[in-house]
Structures are given as C-alpha cells and as structure tokens.
Amino acid sequence: MFKKILRRLALTLIVLVGVTIIAFALVRLAPGDPAVQMLPATATQEQIDNMRTRMGLDQSYVVQYFMYIGNLLKGDLGYSFHFNMDCGPLILSRLLNTAKITVIGVIIALIISIPLGLVAGIKRGSALDTCATAFALCGQAMSPVWLCLLMILIFSVGLKWLPTQGVGSWKNMVMPSLCVGFAFCSLVTRMLRSSMIDVLQEEYITATRARGVSKFQVYVKYAFKNAILPIVTISGAQLGILLCGSMVIEQIFNWPGLGQLTVTAISSRDFQLVQSILLIVAVIMVVCNLIVDILYTFIDKRISFN
Amino acid sequence: MNRKDFTRRMWKSKLFLIGLAGILVIAAVCFLSPLFVQFDPLKAELTNRLAAPEGIFGGLSKHIFGCDPMGRDVLTRLLLGGRTSLLIAFSVVLITTILGLIIGLLAGYYGGIADLILMRICDIMMALPTLLLAICVVAVMGSSITNLVVVLSITGWIMVARVVRSTVMSIRDCEYVKAARVLGIPNSKIILKEVLPNVISPVIITATQAFGGMILTEASMSYLGLGVPAPSPSWGAMISDGREYIATAPWVVIVPGIALMLTVLAFNFLGDGLNDILNPKNKD
Amino acid sequence: MEEILKISKLSVEYRSGDTVAKAVNGLNMTLYKGQAMGLVGESGAGKTTTALSVMGLLPDKIGYVTGGDIEYKGQSLLKMKEKELNTIRGGKISMVFANPLSSLNPVFTVGHQITMVLRQHGHMTEKEAHAQAAKFLQMVGIPEYRMDDYPHQFSGGMRQRVGIAAALVCSPEILIADEPTTALDVTIQAQILELMKDLQKTMDSSLLMITHNLGIIAELCQTVAIMYGGEIVEYGSVREVFEHPMHWYTIGLLNAVPKLTGKRERLASIPGNVANAQMLPEGCKFHPRCGHCTKVCQTKQPEMICVNENHYVQCWEHGGNL
Amino acid sequence: MTEIKKVNKIEAGTSGQSTQKPLLRVEHLKEYFKIPSKGYLHAVDDITMDIMPNETLGLVGESGCGKSTVGNVLMRLLKPTGGKIFYEDKDVTKPSKKENLELTKKTQMVFQDPYSSLNPRKPIRSILSEPFKINKTAEGRELDEKVRKLAERVGLEPYVLDQYPHELDGGKRQMVGIARALAMQPKFIVCDEPVSALDVSVQATIINLLIDMQKEMGLSYLFISHDLSVVRHISDRVAVMYLGQIVEIAPTDTIFSNTLHPYSIALLSAVPKIDFEEQEKRIVLTGDVPSPMNPKPGCRFAPRCWMACEECKNKDQELTEVEPGHFVACGRWKESREMELKLEREN
Amino acid sequence: GSADNPAKPAGGDQAASASSKTVDTSGKVTLTIGSNADQVSTLDRFVNVGYGCDDLDYLIFDPLVNSDHMGTYSPGLATEWTQADDYLSYTFTLREGVKFADGSDFTSADVAATFERIRDDKTLTDTGAWGDLESVETPDEKTAIIHLANPMPTFYDELYRVPIICKAALEADPEGYFLAPVGTGAFTLDSFDQLTGQCIMSRNDSWWGWDEIDNIKTNVDIIDYQFIGEDTTRASALRSGDMDIVLQLSADYKKDLEAEGFPMLEVASDTHIHIEYNCGENSQFNNKDLRIALSEAIDREAIVSSVIGNGNAATWPCPEGNVGYKADAEGYKYDPEHAKSLVEASGYDGSEISMVYTSSSFIRADEVAQAVQSMAAEVGLNVKLEPLEQAAFTDRRSSGTFDIILGAFASTAGDTQTEVAVIIGFDVFGSQYVNPEMSDLCAQVRTCGDKEERTKLIEQVFQIEMDEMAPFSYLYSPSYLCASASNVSNYNVFADGSGEYRFVQMK
Ligand SMILES: Nc1ncnc2c1ncn2[C@@H]1O[C@H](COP(=O)(O)OP(=O)(O)OP(=O)(O)O)[C@@H](O)[C@H]1O
Ligand SMILES: Nc1ncnc2c1ncn2[C@@H]1O[C@H](COP(=O)(O)OP(=O)(O)OP(=O)(O)O)[C@@H](O)[C@H]1O
Ligand SMILES: [Mg+2]
Ligand SMILES: [Mg+2]
C-alpha cells in the first residue's frame, strides 16, 4: 500500500510539472505587463524597468522558469508584489480560510443530504422522494450569485441574524458555508438516491435479506456502504474543487479565501502568486483524489489501489 | 435501444417530457422573440431607467417585467439573453461533445501510448479548476462570446472524453466488436458503426446535464466580468449586472434568475428523463 | 413424512407499467422433511420466482403474489409479519443464490456475512458467532484465516461455498438452492455438489434444488418437479420421472440432453419459443410447442393427475378421456 | 488396450494416420499476456494441433485454461507470442493485408455470449448484411434476398430480420451469430462455447444446426466448450486443455472410453449424469484452478493430481502418441488407466 | 450590545437599531468603516495605489502639513513653513512635544528619514511625484529643510500625503514597520491583518491635535476599517448594522438608504471620466470633426442624472474648482443634430469603432459605456464595446491600438492639471496626438513653481484641448456617495476619495 502510494505520488509529479508549465505559460500569455500593474498610471519607463528587474521579468522565459522551479524546490513559492509578502504564507492563510467554510459547508451538506438521499432512494416514488428530488434539482439550477444575494437579503438585511460579510466569529461563516454546501448537498442527495436505487436492485441485497436481516438494517448498514462508493468519489473531486475556493461566494461575502486571492492575483498579474496558486490548487486536487482512492480501497476492497 | 422502443419509453417518462417541453417552449420563445417584441433590447432609453413592471395586464407594449438600469425592457432583454445563453451553452456542449467523443473514442479503442498521453493531459487539466483556467484564458484572449465558448470548451471536453473512453473500453472487449473484426471490418468503420452508437447514450445524458451546467457557468463567469460583453444581454450577465439592484429594483435580477433556474431545471429534467429512458436497468 | 413446506395454488405476477408477467400460475408443491427435491425447467419458467416467493423477497412494487398460499409447518408465510419472517429467513429457511459473484456483498468480509446470520438468529456474542462461522467455513473447505478476506479475493467456487456456509450456518430446516452451480466450472461444480450432498445428509434438512441441469437432479434429489410456464407439469420420484417421462415437455427436455455414453444420435430439440410469461397461451401452456397437441389442449388447462404414487403429470394425453 | 472401441464417426479425421492435408495447423503456439508489475500470464503455452477439413475438434477444459485465447489467436484477434499457424499449408502467422482478407472469408467465429455478440443498436437485418457489404458480394435488392435466404437457412423466420437483438431469445440470437459467420462462406469456424449460455432445449437446436451446416457446407469446427457431453456429441476429436497446454488429444470415442490423463479422468467424472444404473464414483479435484501466472516447470496438473510424484512436479510432460491418434501428456498414463479401471470396479 | 448600552439611541427606527453594536462588551465605542478601496497589504502609502492606505495613514500618522484637499493648508507636524523664491527649498519648523506611539520624541531626523526613504528606496512604487526630491537638511532637531532639484508645483499637495514615520522604529525593523507602524497620529494601531487589510486602531488620547483650535476630540475609542469590494455587500452590511460608515456606494442606494434613515454624504470627486481618441495617422479620429461629433453626441447631463445618479457633467477639461477651470468659456456641447451633420460630412463609412474600457475602473463603467454607445449610434457612429480586464486594458491603452477609450483618471493629489500635463505631454495613454504647442505648454506646467503662472499655462492647454477635442473629451466627474448609521457624524470624505475620520462623533 505504502509503496503504491509512493508510486502514485511519483506519477503525480508528472502532473505537477505539467501544471507548472501551463501555469507559467498562461500568466505570460496574458496581456498586461505585470510591472505596469504594480505601478501608478503615471509611472516613468525607468520605474517600470526597475520593477521588471525586481520581478525578474528581464530574464528569458527559460531562465525564469528554471528559477521558479529552483525556488520551488527550495520550498519558496515566490513573492507577491501585489500583496507585498511571500506567497507561501499568503496562500496558506487564504487556503485555511477557504478550508473553514468548505469543511463546514461540506459537513452540513453531508448531514442533510445523506439521510435525504438515502430515504429518497429507499422510498422511491414517495412524496419525500419527490421533495428530495425537487430540492436536488433546485440546488443544481440555482446560480450561486443569486443564492448568495438572496441569503444576504434574508438573513442579514431582513432578519439581522447574521453578519453580511467578513471574517470573525462563527456567525460570519454560516452564510458562506451554506452557499458552498448548497450545490454540493443537492449533488450528493441526487447521487446517493440513484446509487441507492441501483444497489437495492443488486442480488446481494436480496441475499442479505434472505439471511433474515431486517429491512432497516439492510438499508442503513449494508446497502448504504455500497451506495456511498460513488459519493466518496464525487465528494473527493468536489472537495478538491471547493477547496480551491469559490470565487463568487468569497467575493460576495468578502471572505478572504483562495478563490478571491486567485481573482486578485490574476487581475493584478501577480505572476509568481498565480503560478503558485495554480500549483497549490493542483496539489490539492491531486491530494484529494489520492485520499479518495485510499478511502475507496478501504471501503471497497475490490478496487486495488494504483 | 431502437427508435420504437425509445419512443414508447419516452412517452412514459414524465421527467423527459416536461424537460423537453420546457426547453422547446423556452427556446421557441427566445428564438422567435424578434417576431413579437416591441422594444429594442440594446438601445438605452435612459428616461425609463428602472421603470417598475407593469404586470402581465400591461400587454406587450408595456414593460411587463419592468426596465433595467439602462431603461431597456427586461422582457426583451431576457428573450435575447436567453438566445445568447442557450447559444453559448449549445455551442459549448456541441463542441465539447464532438471533441470529447472523437478523443475518447480513439483513446478508448486503440489504447496504448495515445491513451496514456491523453489521460495525463486530462489529469493535468483536471487538476486545474475550470473557472480558474477560464479566468486565465479570458484574460489572455479578452471576453467575447466566441472566446467564452472557446474557454468553456477547452475545459469541457475532458469530462466527455473520460466518459466516452471508459465506455469504449468496456465495449471494446464486447463480443460484437470482436465479431466485426472477425468479419474483417476496418477499425474506422468499427468505431463509427459498432462502438459509437453504443456510447452515444451516456454521452447524450452527460451533454444534457452539461447544458444546464454551462448556463450556470456562464453566469458565474459574468459575475467575474468574464462573460458576454455589454450591451448584448445574457442571463448570467443580467444577473450579475443587476445584483446592485436586488434590493431596490429586484425585477432586474429576479426575472433572469428565475428564467435561468427554469431552464437549468428543464435540462436537468431532460437529462434525468433520458437517463431513465436509456438505462436498460430501469425497466419502463 | 412430515410436510414442511406446502405451496398451494401460488400465483405470482410481475407488474411494471402496463406489462404484466405471469411468472407463476397456480403452482402446487409440497416439500417433506429431509427430502431433496429438484425443480427443473427452462429459463423463465418461474423457478427463481417461486423461491423468492417462499422467502418473501419478491422485488418491491414489482412482484406480487396474486393468489395461493405458502405454508411453513402449517403457518402461512404470506400472512406473516415482516418481523416474524425475519426470524424464519436465514434461520429456518435459507437460500443459496445462483450467481456467487453477485450474491455476496463486495464491501463486507466473508466472515461478516456469515456471522451476520448468526447474530440475527443465534443470539450469540460476537465471539461465539465468529467461532461458529469459522467452523462452518472449514466445513465447506475454507480455512479459518480467510474469514477476514473480501469476496473478490475468492474464486467463484469458494464464493459459492461461502454462500452455502452462510445458508447453512443456522442449521435451517429448508435450504433452497437456486442454480448454485450454473456459474461454475465443471470440476468446481462437482465439488459443490458433493458438498451439498454431504451437508444435506448430515444436517437432515430439506433441499429444494432449482436447476435446469437434469444430471444434477439425478445425482442429488429424490423427487423432481418439472416446471413449465409457471406451473408444475410433471412431478414424481426422480427415477420414475426420468425413466418414464409422460409430459411431452419432459420428454423433449430429456431428449435434448446430449449423453455422455451410448450412441450419438441427433438431438431432439423442442420446437418453438420459450414460454413468454407476458403472453401465456390459453389451455395447456405447452401446447404451442407440443407435437401432440389436440383441440382441448388449446382451450382447457389440464388437471394434475396421479399416474402412480410416485408420479403425477398434468397433460391431457394422460388425464381424462376426452 | 485392446478394448478400445472403434466406433468413430469419421475415422479419416484422426491425425497421424491421415493422408489428407490438415486444413489448419498450429505449431508451438504461445500466447502470453503481460500483466504490469506481475509478469507474464501464460494463457496458451506451446500448443500443437491440427484440424482436418470437414472435421470438428472439440476443445475442453476448465475456465481460464486458455480455450478462448486459442480461438482468438486463430481468428487473428490476438497476435501470437510464439509459434506458427498454417492454413492449408500456408504460413499465416503474420498475414499480409491481402492474406488477412482472404482468411477472413475462410475462417469465422461464433461467440459464447449471445447477449453481447450482437450489437444491441442494430436490427438483425443490418447485422446480417454486414458480411455481404464487406465482401461487396451483393447490393440492394439482391442483398435483401441473400440475407433472407441466409436467415432461412439457419432457421430464422423472416420477421426476425426487422427485430433488434434484445427482442430475441438466446437461441435465436445464437442463430443470428451462426448465420453471420456462415455468410462469409467459410471453411473453418471457431465456435467459442456457443451453447453454454443456453437452455438445454435451445442448446439442442443450435447443436443440430451446427451439425447440419457442417454437413451441408463441408465445414471444419474448433468447438470450444466445457460441457463434455456436448463436446462428445459434436466432435470428431477432442483436445483436453489444462492451464494453457493440451494434456490429451484423441478421437472422441477413444477419449471417452479410454481416458488416460488424470485430469481428463477427473473432468469426465465431474459431469453429473442421468444414469441410474451405473452411478460412478466421482473423482473430486480439490483446490481451485491454479493461476497461469509465470508457471514453473513441471506438470501443471501435478498440484491437484491424486497420483502425482516428485518427478511429475519437476519435469515438463511431453504430449506423446500412446496409441495411433491418441496423444497424452502424462508420464504415468498407464497407471492412471489402471486407477480408472479400479474406480469403475468399485462401483 | 449589553443591556445598559449607553450609546443605544432612543427610538426604534431601522438605522438606529442597526447600530446597537457600536459599543462592544468592554464598553468601548467602536466605529466600523467599510471601504471599497483596493485592499491594502501594508500600511506603506508608497507601495499602495488607492485611497485605502491614505485613510489609514491619516489616522495613524501625521503629515508635516494638513490640508483640506482644496488648496488650504494647516499646520500638522510642522507649525510653520516657508518656501524659497526659486521653489527649490522649503523650510519647516517642527512642532514641540510630539511623541510617537512608542513614546519616542518626534525630531527632524524622522522627517529626514521619511523623505530619504522616498528618494532612496527603489522598491517603493508610488514615489513618482517625488522625482525631484534632492535632500533633507536638518540644521537642528526642530527644523527641517527640503531641497528639490527642480520646482515642484504640486509640492504641498504631495506633502500632506507623506506620513512622517519614526526613524528609530523603522531602523529597528525595516521589514515589519509598515505592518505595525509607529506614528504620531490621532489613532494608534492595534492590529493590522495583512491578508484582509482589516485595520483596528484605538484613539490616541495624547495626540497633539485634540488641543488645536476647531478640533473636537472624537468619542470613538476604536476604529475598525475593513475592505469590502462588493457594492451590494457593503450596502447590506450598513443595513444589517455591521458597518457604521460605508464608502463609495453607487447612487442608486441613495434614495433607499435615505428613506431608511441612513444619513448620506455626497462629495464631488476629482475623478474625471473621459473619452480618449486615437488621433494617430491611420485612425478615423485623426479627423477633428469626428472627435467633435462624438463629443457632441453625448448627453453628459443624461449620463450623470440617469446612469450615474450623481456627480457633475463636464463642461470643461477640468472639474469646477480645479486650477484651470473656466466657468464662462464655451465648453462641451450636446448637439446631436450638428454631430450628425459632422459625421455625414466626414465621410465616415459606418465601420466599427471599438471602445475599449475596463469595467472595474469606475462606478458603472459598463452602463456608461452602453449609454455612450447608444448615444453615438444616434448620430450614426457605430461604436462597439470592448470591455477588458484592467491589466489588458492598460496594455492596450499604452500600445495605442484602439479607436476610442472610455477611461478615468483620478488625481490623487488633488491637483489635476499637473497630471494632465504629464499624461498629455508624454502621451502616457497612447493617444498619438501630436501638437507641439501643447507639448511645449505641458512641459512648462510641469516645472512651473508659480501658481498663477501655472494656472495660465494650464488654461491654455485646456483651451487647445477644447478646440481640438484631443486627445480627451471629458464626460463627467462622479460623486462619492458615502452612507453612515444615523448616530455617526462629523466625518468627511475628500475629492480624491480619502477621508477624515479623526474627529468623527458617535451618539
Ligand atoms: N423483476 C422482474 N420484473 C419483471 N419480470 C420478471 C422479473 N423477474 C422475473 N420476471 C419474469 O418472470 C418470469 C419467471 O422468471 P424467473 O426468474 O422466476 O425464471 P427462472 O425459471 O428462474 O429462469 P432462469 O432459469 O433464467 O433463472 C420470466 O418470464 C421473467 O421474465
Ligand atoms: N486480454 C487479456 N489480457 C490478460 N489476460 C488475459 C486476456 N485474455 C485472457 N486472459 C487470461 O488468459 C487466461 C485464459 O483465458 P481464456 O479466456 O482463454 O480462458 P477460457 O479457457 O476461455 O475460459 P472460459 O471458460 O472462462 O471462457 C485467463 O487466465 C485469462 O484471465
Ligand atoms: Mg432463475
Ligand atoms: Mg472462454
């Protein structure tokens, strides 16, 4: 197992190298001189050149790339000229913020969606199933921009229960978390429902019932474990995506997360920051997938890890 | 599944019928709108700024859904915006599906090196979230409808290619493919005639669901200023531009929001319905 | 002999949408204690459906018992509450499924899947259950240390042995085996058959062996019931039925089997299509394929008649002088 | 050994004594699959056999012993790892494009699973027209006519042509599969377990059909199956395979009456029989089918063999002709014969 | 808030009840400000662009000279100052008894350190205005003399934006100083979050300024300054009571917020929205008539009243009150008929005119662009909108590949004309407009120390700009609309966007 994880990590390295190249190329392809972005509109050419030297942009692309990789190997993610600080701690703290709302959102989503999807799958065609399906569909049809704005209108402006924006107490996290979790929740509900329906048609479920196990136990203990498999995959992938930050939600709730940082970094042409964010994001995705795969092998021993 | 069977099951699937009807109605209304709208969707009419809705009883010559901040009729823009949004979603889904199909078919059928390279590319692309890549690419190329389509397509095909590839891999070893090879049918024909028809249904399902997703993505992109450039309306742009007025002139946002939701719903219905119809596991 | 399971006039339908499949149509059958009975019939004859009805496991909202009764020791299984049924399933009546690949839950260890039965019925502690399960696994030839392995780590034959162990672990009075060897290899099939033969004898349980392999019936069972179109068309002791088949379907079936010994003759195949449960014919269900069909066969359902005490048949040719 | 009954249907088919040239001959055929990080799976390991014109060679063995692989290699679906294939004395191991096309016409295949061997999205008519289209032998009206005739020949009603595979039962599907193979007017057909997914009654129909077609068209079959009674019924000669190797090959009646290899004996005794008179004692092999991964030298059956000695475990067994046309790969075939007789006496 | 909340105002109207949290549990009065400036990541005003850092620096530091941002200067850390006749040196007499937050005394060495840093530190990005700074002389502890290489017309306007830093503290921790700066200001820094820009400051009771005439000491104990980019969110935060002051809302909120009882503050800004023509050889707008036509097609009043909702339509190349403004001159006209005839006469072939702009650069840029587009269409000009992201926009503008640009520039120093002179004189924005006379005038403006003379020069520049309609034609100056909870008073926002919160009062 350990060996396999190592091998997988080695493969991952290829992916990450690919990502660094793409990230490097993308930011450089983008129009807009980063040095100019860092300076006021009336900056002189000398100032711009000076800035370019500081940012290392006067070197050739090849040199720039290898310097970047060299620094990466030293654990240095570069310096953000927009934020005037090292990228490492900047990304880390933003990532932690995003992780906070993501984890809470995902947990809330799972708490709601798992029983809902389960029951909907078992009681297929019932009123509850219809409600769950409707909820799931709504969740997928709702534009996040809309959802956030409505939430603010209702919970902050109308009811005054929750603060509109910013970081601080747990109250600040409620709305962003809910918004993050909403689409995820509906997705899980829907998937769990359909995978539950599939699993309940399997012969081993009939076999389990033939052994005298009560319906409830069959559903909750046995069928559930099978039905959860696709959820694990999708959760992993989604968690990865969510951890990279939802730009819309973070922007609206003024939540200083990774998504917001990404937008700022790209629009201010903060090259090193963009590159490092893309890299970190890739690492997150890869790690999430890895965790999913490992989890998978624990739940379903058929899947050999590779 | 043959046509006869499909039609029979289709008529039984409420989801599918509702979804299809919904989409047809929405598309028809949007695309035929030039025939009956009374207002210019693009021309600013500053005197009408944020005019309140007149209600259905106002008739078409009044502003049923009110006016937007530029004094343009919201309904007219909604219909034109629907055209844009649907067109974007349609083109993206079409492009990604075709691209994904071709790549998935080749990689899945032939395997080997091509497959290996493709899967690594997929891995890399998957490691970069769509919206993020989209931001980068739009930054490079500027925002226009064409660029938006290109951007969403660049990231969209991977999903399709993966679905197709895995389906093809399972079909590749089917005996009917072997049978075709034994008959001496060339590979190109096998792919087209034997494999393709059998991967098409998961692809159709993926595509319909992607359709709704694309409309939403366009909305999110608009919010980030990467969407359809003004003054052409799109639902996403209408929502994001109108968000300032959600408290003061809610119709500016609520109307496109609901339209968007209904459309996405309809596509989800269609996708789910198709899934029911095409999935042999669901016996009628 | 003690009647242990009595099925009378059982009818089962599968309904989905507008289509109704009449899978079982007025089936009568009695199983005695310690007896091994074979249920033979071609694909779609309703064998599995019968077994599932006995277990009360017809698929929800699709399968419906539309008539008749199933009695276990005089108690009606159909009227029983779910809770009571749960004590009988796996405890008193257990079942081995056709496909060992799909009838074991892939995400639980085989040990768990056996102890699960014991915990349900035996009121045992974890430890006792574990020991008991190990004992049974060894009985079917699987070493104890493999308790914690998952089904996919076993070969098909071993998986089926696990299925059998799980079915037998509570010493049920009735074992229903639904084509337990169809998915297996010849040599493995032989292993499983030997095993079942031994176990059934040592545990003195009744066996309902469902298969369409006549050889298996001949080796394993004392009595045999031939099923066609959801009903039993011929019934009796194995030897009697196989040596003097009377129903034309049985005759056709026996002639269709290639022999391992003797002369190689052209096989007699039964013409026509397999009975379709969705459109069963009037009268004798077999008449469209029967070369000896008369007018009455086409319109009236024959009665089961007694040829001798070991042989019953449901065919106009032998019943009533019409 | 004098008691070997000679009731062979076609005596000329036996190899060795024949003056006829074999239709198909394979020599030292090998097919290894590379399994990443595990090594090589020897699916077929050095097989030599021939098939005469108008002959049926039965191929039996446990699941996974490599039967289908042999069939697939013969159909050029797999490239052999080693060995040679001759068709009518011509080396076709690595056929050119043209040769390949020629071979395609002469050699065909019928598949095991009637459910997956027909494209679910094509009507039967289209499935059956494919071979004609490929050969460009017919078009338009003529094509329709040919397809109809073909269907008729295998016993399919014309209405079936407009149905889709899922609307047919297994027997009909298999008929379609056979018709598709016959359409090319082949000389040789690989039948890969064509009846094992079917019901007894349907199975009989298909077997009869195959035999009829053979007579009519002078076909040769490689008939793969694990059902010995079926193999016995249809074959002229039978080859028994174990773990990628042929352990015994002989004319059908010889092999059933004078079984020599212990594995063949076990296989035969494993079949449940409807025979109330002589209920044989059964030899139940213990253990499962071993893995064909990187096999070690020595007789591959030795670990499950009830009479294996040290030598068996270490020395490869050659396929040797112990009587005319009867080849066995067991050094102790004489003893095994005695064992069998002893078992028979016990009953 | 606690039950015995002393700040809780009587009456239960929405706005008032919203501000109940202004007193935190420790009984301190807290003022929260929601700003839409670009978030700051350091409190160093020379590396941040935008008013956010100014706001904070005014609170934490003091400049040598204070300003009302309208040309009137009052003593800050300097009590008196004189300028040399050649405009090349300025002498400051420094205030006695001023202490930094860390307790150290304020001396002329601190002034020297401040200006020498501006001159020497090449990592600073926003020091362009001080290019002519030569040296700082400190004859004694309480005197500082600033020497310039060339006359610097904007000297005082730049001067009040130079916070005087603490030399000792800077030298002790050059990296960290601007994350936890020590200043002499009215507030001292409690915490600064580099990641969100949130800055919490408490009142400095020993600040020298409280004793100055006209100054009322604030009753706010703590100011909590946050950056909230999203307009809707900022407005909602005020409504929900999370914020006491929110800055720079769009005008649509005015009516509603006022109705809900939130006092509004509207300030004419120094930002100037303009259309820039590409006057290059190959451009259609090389033709003066077409430039005039476009300018005359635009109903500036309508844009201001309908699209923006506040602000002043431009009548002249600079806003009213600015140096160089001519009230009586004939300014921009709205005359679509004339414009149409000009277009027809010009031989314009109806080809697409691309208007490049970036939606983030000023409020409602998208809508203004659309308004311009549709007004241009009225006179037969086929304008196509090309919104670009900020960085791409800058690139595009400096490369000169555009037909027209809808742009804005804000004079952060409050002295528009100098920047105009730079932009026009050097053609920083890539208009490719060549006019030797104008260039010459601009060059003079840049080094002219005498205010009156400069005014004349700039008037001439503006006149040329007006006559030639090149390279810019101005549209309007928006107003800043700020709103506060009803119990907040006595804060001010200046034309450059920065604000004065030192004397704010909360009921
Ligand atoms: N879930 C179901 N829904 C609808 N019809 C069904 C279902 N299960 C079985 N049937 C129908 O009921 C009839 C009897 O099926 P059953 O499975 O009992 O046959 P069987 O004798 O066990 O056949 P086999 O030998 O193939 O297992 C068949 O016609 C079948 O099509
Ligand atoms: N494409 C392949 N890649 C790797 N291994 C293969 C492949 N095809 C077959 N094998 C392996 O080769 C061995 C022989 O397979 P083959 O299908 O020929 O067996 P068989 O005798 O036909 O079995 P069955 O009776 O189950 O059809 C098996 O162990 C199988 O797992
Ligand atoms: Mg069955
Ligand atoms: Mg095979």
Side-chain angles (χ1 to χ4, degrees), chain D residues 132-235:
Chain D
F132 296 112
K133 282 187 187 154
I134 274 297
N135 282 343
K136 302 194 178 73
T137 43
E139 264 177 0
R141 179 85 46 86
E142 197 193 346
L143 176 67
D144 275 359
E145 184 60 20
K146 281 205 164 169
V147 169
R148 202 184 52 72
K149 272 214 178 114
L150 181 65
E152 206 172 284
R153 194 142 135 218
V154 296
L156 286 170
E157 290 94 335
Y159 74 87
V160 170
L161 289 177
D162 293 316
Q163 288 185 312
Y164 279 81
H166 71 102
E167 295 171 286
L168 305 182
D169 62 42
K172 290 246 158 56
R173 284 156 166 263
Q174 203 56 296
M175 287 179 194
V176 174
I178 292 172
R180 175 172 56 188
L182 291 179
M184 302 290 267
Q185 305 272 357
K187 284 261 173 303
F188 170 68
I189 298 183
V190 172
C191 303
D192 190 356
E193 315 205 23
V195 293
S196 61
L198 303 177
D199 233 318
V200 252
S201 53
V202 185
Q203 173 180 309
T205 318
I206 298 297
I207 291 176
N208 288 342
L209 176 66
L210 285 174
I211 293 176
D212 292 348
M213 288 300 132
Q214 182 172 39
K215 280 193 190 131
E216 207 173 294
M217 303 173 65
L219 292 168
S220 297
Y221 290 136
L222 175 69
F223 191 92
I224 300 173
S225 177
H226 56 236
D227 188 335
L228 289 168
S229 46
V230 172
V231 169
R232 170 175 180 266
H233 191 87
I234 200 168
S235 313

Side-chain angles (χ1 to χ4, degrees), chain B residues 29-277:
Chain B
V29 170
C30 288
F31 284 92
L32 298 179
S33 62
L35 298 180
F36 57 80
V37 293
Q38 313 258 334
F39 301 99
D40 185 338
L42 300 182
K43 192 166 162 276
E45 197 76 67
L46 293 177
T47 44
N48 276 336
R49 177 180 167 75
L50 297 179
E54 303 260 350
I56 304 293
F57 306 108
L60 273 181
S61 56
K62 298 269 178 62
H63 302 291
I64 294 179
F65 291 142
C67 287
D68 76 349
M70 302 302 295
R72 295 167 298 207
D73 182 48
V74 169
L75 177 64
T76 314
R77 280 178 72 75
L78 184 76
L79 296 178
L80 185 66
R83 266 159 68 171
T84 321
S85 291
L86 288 176
L87 263 181
I88 290 177
F90 181 76
S91 345
V92 173
V93 168
L94 195 74
I95 293 173
T96 53
T97 305
I98 291 176
L99 208 65
L101 252 179
I102 294 173
I103 295 175
L105 276 172
L106 293 179
Y109 188 76
Y110 289 106
I113 294 278
D115 185 37
L116 204 77
I117 293 173
L118 176 92
M119 285 335 279
R120 287 290 87 75
I121 292 178
C122 282
D123 282 350
I124 293 173
M125 299 289 270
M126 294 289 272
L128 300 169
T130 308
L131 214 52
L132 220 156
L133 271 184
I135 292 180
C136 294
V137 176
V138 169
V140 175
M141 308 194 309
S143 70
S144 72
I145 295 184
T146 334
N147 288 352
L148 202 62
V149 170
V150 171
V151 164
L152 296 177
S153 305
I154 286 177
T155 50
W157 65 268
I158 295 162
M159 197 60 209
V160 188
R162 286 198 152 195
V163 170
V164 173
R165 175 181 169 269
S166 62
T167 321
V168 171
M169 299 251 270
S170 67
I171 290 173
R172 187 178 61 179
D173 296 327
C174 255
E175 290 188 343
Y176 61 82
V177 175
K178 269 194 203 163
R181 285 169 60 194
V182 167
L183 286 179
I185 298 177
N187 279 332
S188 57
K189 257 197 172 154
I190 294 184
I191 293 180
L192 277 183
K193 296 240 165 113
E194 309 284 334
V195 180
L196 182 64
N198 287 291
V199 295
I200 212 83
S201 55
V203 168
I204 289 176
I205 293 167
T206 320
T208 44
Q209 277 162 0
F211 218 111
M214 279 308 158
I215 299 180
L216 281 181
T217 312
E218 188 267 319
S220 293
M221 301 266 298
S222 286
Y223 174 83
L224 297 170
L226 308 168
V228 177
S232 319
S234 80
W235 290 344
M238 287 174 81
I239 293 177
S240 76
D241 292 348
R243 65 184 188 274
E244 281 179 35
Y245 309 103
I246 191 162
T248 51
W251 56 90
V252 177
V253 193
I254 296 211
V255 171
I258 287 175
L260 182 111
M261 204 162 142
L262 288 179
T263 312
V264 177
L265 264 185
F267 275 109
N268 271 314
F269 276 147
L270 189 78
D272 285 1
L274 267 177
N275 201 4
D276 284 349
I277 294 172

Side-chain angles (χ1 to χ4, degrees), chain C residues 47-49 98 178-179 210:
Chain C
K47 307 183 294 291
T48 305
T49 310
D178 184 5
E179 315 196 19
I210 298 175

Side-chain angles (χ1 to χ4, degrees), chain D residues 6-18:
Chain D
K6 294 214 169 171
V7 281
N8 297 12
K9 196 165 64 167
I10 304 160
E11 289 193 295
T14 50
S15 133
Q17 327 164 313
S18 164

Side-chain angles (χ1 to χ4, degrees), chain E residues 247-308:
Chain E
L247 307 176
Q248 302 200 6
L249 294 171
S250 69
D252 285 278
Y253 291 104
K254 189 173 170 182
K255 213 172 75 197
D256 291 281
L257 289 179
E258 241 163 15
E260 287 170 33
F262 296 100
M264 314 294 289
L265 179 69
E266 210 172 334
V267 184
S269 78
D270 257 354
T271 304
H272 224 158
I273 315 298
H274 62 260
I275 283 178
E276 178 184 356
Y277 306 97
N278 184 346
C279 309
E281 289 282 311
N282 303 319
S283 165
Q284 282 168 328
F285 288 95
N286 196 12
N287 181 348
K288 176 177 153 191
D289 282 351
L290 216 50
R291 298 199 291 264
I292 295 175
L294 182 57
S295 174
E296 287 185 347
I298 297 168
D299 184 353
R300 293 171 170 77
E301 285 297 338
I303 290 181
V304 166
S305 62
S306 288
V307 180
I308 308 300

Side-chain angles (χ1 to χ4, degrees), chain D residues 67-68 112 192-193:
Chain D
K67 307 184 295 291
S68 299
Q112 165 173 16
D192 190 356
E193 315 205 23

